[in-house]
Structures are given as C-alpha cells and as structure tokens.
Amino acid sequence: MRNHIKKYGIMGGTFDPIHVGHLVIAEEIRCKFKLDKVIFIPAGNPPHKDFSKITSGDHRYQMTLLATISNPFFDVSSIELDKKGVTYTIDTIIELKKCCKDKAEFYFITGADSLLELSTWKNVDQLLNMCKFVAATRPGFQMSKIETKVKELESKYNQGIYTISVPALQISSTDIRNRIKEGDSVKYLLPESVESYIIKHKLYLENVAKGCL
Ligand code: ATP
Ligand code: MG
C-alpha cells in the first residue's frame, strides 16, 4: 500500500551511554506494536538533567549509532542534538509530525521511571494527544505504582497509555558510568562496539563530562 500510515516508535533518552536495557525495550515494543521503525533520539539539553555532567552529544550520538546499526528497524536522529538550549519532547514531536506531513503515528517509548515523572514534562496534554505513550516495566519500579500513575494520567488528560512488561534488565547508564570509574567490568551490559568506543575515547573515567570528539 502506497499511502499507508507509518507507525514510528520514538525512543528518547540521554543514552549516556546507550545499553542493552534501552535496546530490549525498543525491540519488544517494536514487535508488540508492529512498528515500522524505532527512532532513537539522543536528548540535546534535557530540562531534568545537569547538562554540564552529560557527555557531549557527538559521543552519545556515535554510541547510539553503533548500538543500533545491526537492526534494520532502528534509526537514530540528531534532531535534538542539533538544537541550541533546553530541548523539550513536545517540540521534537511537533517537528517530526511536520516532516511526516501527518502520514505517521508516533509511539513514545519510555521506561517506568520516566512515566512516573511525565506530569512534569512541558505541555504534557498536547504530547499525549500527539503520540501514544508506551511505558515499559523497569526493575526497581513497582507495577502497582506504574498502574496508579497511568490511571491518574489517563483520567487527568483523557488519553490512553499502554504499559508493557519487558524482560527485566537491571541496567542503567548511571551504574555503567560508575562501574567504568571504579574499573569494574561492563561486558554484556552494552554492545561490544559501544564498550570499545568508550575505551577508545576514555569516557566515564572521571566525573567531568567529555567535550567534542
Ligand atoms: P541514567 O541512569 O543516566 O538516567 P538510564 O539508564 O535511565 O540512564 P536514560 O537514557 O535515562 O537511561 O533512559 C532512556 C529511557 O529508557 C527512559 O525512558 C528509561 O526509563 C528507559 N530505560 C533505561 N534503562 C531501562 C531498563 N533497564 N529497563 C527499562 N527501561 C529502561
Ligand atoms: Mg534515566
């Protein structure tokens, strides 16, 4: 069919660094929702994180490319990294919608922790209206809490939110950064190519974020 509406998963994150937890939730949701693509969007200057402590966008973009390259259904966009100043998800979605001329449906993929903070995001009502939210379970975040939050958001904003159980992987970028600083192994927590990239560029050895390539 020539004009069929495409279904795109949007996987936003700081990806500092990208790890297997991110890849598994993206792939699970792609399959469950029969998405045409999942677009990974490394965050530019997210409002909820201290920008001075985040690794440069160049490095995070390269690592995201390396991690996703073997999956033909995964793409990476630098839409947020190319912007100056604080970046908000709603502005990114508006821009993507414009590019697709409304011939696409967006599924915003988040982990449980991000969903719990959703009420603090800019123009959340508009955001929920423009894309379907899919929240993946994450170890450390109780399903009952997620369900309560989903109900609260659904009744407040009158929009449905999906919750999906994914294989539990107790992996976080914070833990990976700490392990590297301590000299502990990160093997199998992230793709080998990303680990090699981190070693080559000496990332995460100190507390200071690394600048441009
Ligand atoms: P950090 O520790 O720096 O916050 P992170 O591991 O949480 O890193 P992010 O880049 O903040 O990674 O996360 C991007 C998205 O992926 C978020 O919606 C987050 O909830 C989700 N996510 C990350 N890791 C997992 C995981 N292991 N299981 C389920 N969801 C995850
Ligand atoms: Mg996080």
Side-chain angles (χ1 to χ4, degrees), residues 3 26 50 58 68 93 100 127 138-139 144 156 162 175-176 191 204-205:
N3 269 334
D50 180 352
D58 290 337
T68 53
I93 297 292
C100 297
L127 191 58
R138 183 169 190 178
S144 57
K156 188 167 176 195
Y162 301 96
D175 179 52
I176 291 174
Y204 310 121
L205 295 174

Side-chain angles (χ1 to χ4, degrees), residues 49 113-114 138:
K49 289 200 175 170
D113 54 318
S114 308
R138 183 169 190 178

Side-chain angles (χ1 to χ4, degrees), residues 84-102:
K84 286 208 174 80
V86 177
T87 44
Y88 295 97
T89 303
I90 182 63
D91 301 326
T92 305
I93 297 292
I94 290 172
E95 216 173 312
L96 289 176
K97 281 246 172 196
K98 261 190 214 151
C99 293
C100 297
K101 298 192 173 69
D102 285 335

Side-chain angles (χ1 to χ4, degrees), residues 132-171:
K132 299 174 198 304
F133 262 72
V134 188
T137 48
R138 183 169 190 178
F141 297 88
Q142 283 170 9
M143 197 58 188
S144 57
K145 269 199 186 156
I146 304 169
E147 280 164 356
T148 310
K149 188 70 194 177
V150 165
K151 275 194 198 130
E152 180 197 312
L153 291 166
E154 284 182 334
S155 71
K156 188 167 176 195
Y157 298 109
N158 203 21
Q159 298 290 339
I161 294 171
Y162 301 96
T163 42
I164 297 289
S165 278
V166 297
L169 289 164
Q170 196 155 6
I171 302 174

